[in-house]
Amino acid sequence: MAEVASNHLQAWVARLSKQPLPVMRLSLNALRHLVDRGSYNSSELTRHLAHDPLLCTQLLRRANKRSPEGRIATLEQAVVMCGEGALQEFSRSLPVLEDELPEPALKPLLQLYRFSFHVGYLARDLSKQRRDLSYNDAYFAGLLHSLGEILIRVFAPQQIPAIIRLADKRETSRSDAAREILGFDLHQLSLAVARDWHLPGLLQSALDDDHFQDKRTELVDLASGMMRVGPLLLLPISEDSLVQRAAEVLGNRVEEVKSVVFRANASAAEYLSTRLPDENAEQFVDLFPPEPQDSFEGEPASPPQPKPEALRRLRAAFQSPATEKLTPQRVLELFTAAVREGLGLDRVVFALLS
């Protein structure tokens, strides 16, 4: 049985290896602009392209062509190693993601991109806390941690409904459900592709369940896990095991780790606001982008909407003589409820601000 699964997996890797990976139109336009301009540096390319997982994958794959251990770990290093010729080739030959996928498949994929970017950003900032001078390695390991699911969503989106429905029916993870549908799970595909394409060594280690977990590797895994838990782990009363483990690895207090998580997600959301905008971003910024929900699952709940009338009612209440008879506790309850409703803040975010 294991041999059959391995054969299925290798067949998929071989199939994926024969075709160029589509990239976002915005990323391709940025690459073309910089290449045509003829004056750019590797850090500038990183600023414009590092949020596109499949573009990063192709550059890192090209740079590590002769390095199975994946010594080239960042986009900045990859750009230097690939040279101008490869960048010119990519800018002219790569397919555009928006032209390859219909809207029902594209929307959840871009949501997975947002999630993956936040994982990378958080992994980077956690690594910074260790005073790891190679903290950018952790960013790309986090960004590509869900590479298997990204590739399935791009090249076999028709498999996603069956995987999700089976996961719901069995009450198991989507990765485990994929094993029955595809013959291997999504995590195994990520690792197989990372090895076959010589992607960064830290990514290979983070995806290898049998690999000895050094602290650099573990922080990437912790970042991925914390993003899946979501904002509840930041509440003052939360005793989330992932946050506690991160505190142990970093030698920090739990509250300090929560602060790092909050700041990293806020910075990531700001970066994505112009490069991978969300249709709800004008009214509501999601600091913990969830994993994608596909259209056949039903639309996710709408974010809270601001209600200015709640603030007007609060003002009128405080101008009323009856307010003088209320206890201080009741006044605070009325005030906080009206402010949260009036500004349209999520309960968890409001608790954090409070």
Side-chain angles (χ1 to χ4, degrees):
M1 192 70 175
E3 185 178 350
V4 173
S6 178
N7 290 340
H8 277 301
L9 184 57
Q10 291 309 314
W12 269 85
V13 173
R15 171 191 169 189
L16 294 169
S17 300
K18 292 177 181 177
Q19 46 201 324
L21 307 179
V23 301
M24 290 187 293
R25 179 175 282 110
L26 192 63
S27 304
L28 191 59
N29 289 342
L31 176 60
R32 287 175 177 171
H33 173 74
L34 291 170
V35 168
D36 291 345
R37 196 179 71 188
S39 58
Y40 59 85
N41 55 45
S42 53
S43 62
E44 187 176 15
L45 276 164
T46 296
R47 286 198 302 273
H48 288 284
L49 307 176
H51 59 286
D52 191 324
L54 294 185
L55 181 53
C56 293
T57 296
Q58 291 176 110
L59 283 166
L60 288 165
R61 179 185 178 188
R62 174 72 69 92
N64 281 309
K65 194 171 184 178
R66 294 180 177 84
S67 176
E69 63 274 23
R71 292 179 181 175
I72 305 303
T74 70
L75 192 61
E76 193 164 338
Q77 295 167 352
V79 167
V80 173
M81 289 296 296
C82 289
E84 187 175 347
L87 295 178
Q88 288 276 5
E89 176 192 335
F90 280 147
S91 71
R92 302 304 172 198
S93 64
L94 292 180
V96 174
L97 189 65
E98 289 87 342
D99 294 339
E100 298 288 312
L101 288 177
E103 181 65 23
L106 179 63
K107 187 175 179 180
L109 175 67
L110 294 181
Q111 181 61 24
L112 182 56
Y113 277 18
R114 294 185 188 97
F115 174 84
S116 297
F117 182 84
H118 275 253
V119 171
Y121 220 92
L122 178 54
R124 186 200 73 157
D125 280 14
L126 290 173
S127 298
K128 272 186 176 182
Q129 293 293 305
R130 283 194 67 233
R131 295 176 175 80
D132 183 348
L133 297 180
S134 299
Y135 53 81
N136 281 326
D137 297 11
Y139 166 76
F140 289 97
L143 178 75
L144 303 181
H145 201 265
S146 297
L147 183 58
E149 182 177 348
I150 290 173
L151 292 171
I152 292 296
R153 284 186 174 276
V154 170
F155 293 104
Q158 70 278 4
Q159 300 285 3
I160 296 297
I163 292 172
I164 293 176
R165 287 173 179 140
L166 182 61
D168 291 343
K169 180 180 178 181
R170 301 277 176 83
E171 296 184 352
T172 186
S173 70
R174 296 182 179 187
S175 185
D176 287 341
R179 186 184 298 113
E180 188 164 331
I181 303 295
L182 304 173
F184 51 83
D185 66 40
L186 301 177
H187 193 81
Q188 288 174 319
L189 180 60
S190 297
L191 177 58
V193 167
R195 286 175 171 168
D196 194 77
W197 294 355
H198 302 172
L199 296 181
L202 182 58
L203 173 64
Q204 294 186 40
S205 298
L207 292 170
D208 186 356
D209 293 333
D210 298 326
H211 187 274
F212 177 75
Q213 286 268 357
D214 61 26
K215 290 184 178 181
R216 295 183 76 225
T217 301
E218 189 172 4
L219 286 175
V220 175
D221 290 334
L222 288 170
S224 178
M226 284 192 276
M227 281 304 303
R228 285 179 167 84
V229 172
L232 292 177
L233 60 78
L234 295 182
L235 289 174
I237 60 172
S238 172
E239 297 181 356
D240 185 82
S241 60
L242 297 173
V243 175
Q244 292 178 337
R245 177 55 188 159
E248 293 173 9
V249 171
L250 298 174
N252 289 352
R253 294 182 298 111
V254 166
E255 292 75 13
E256 291 172 327
V257 172
K258 291 181 179 181
S259 178
V260 171
V261 174
F262 184 84
R263 291 198 306 269
N265 281 343
S267 296
E270 181 183 19
Y271 178 97
L272 288 181
S273 63
T274 56
R275 292 170 175 83
L276 193 57
D278 185 4
E279 59 188 20
N280 295 318
E282 291 185 4
Q283 296 180 328
F284 182 80
V285 176
D286 199 340
L287 296 187
F288 280 80
E291 293 182 277
Q293 182 176 48
D294 293 80
S295 57
F296 59 85
E297 296 179 89
E299 290 299 319
S302 300
Q305 300 297 317
K307 298 179 180 178
E309 63 273 15
L311 296 176
R312 289 194 290 270
R313 288 198 304 269
L314 177 68
R315 181 180 180 182
F318 275 89
Q319 290 176 340
S320 169
T323 307
E324 298 177 4
K325 300 178 181 178
L326 298 177
T327 64
Q329 178 66 29
R330 182 56 181 157
V331 170
L332 284 174
E333 289 174 358
L334 288 171
F335 177 77
T336 54
V339 169
R340 184 184 66 78
E341 186 180 356
L343 298 180
L345 294 177
D346 176 86
R347 290 181 183 273
V348 173
V349 173
F350 186 77
L352 292 169
L353 293 176
S354 299

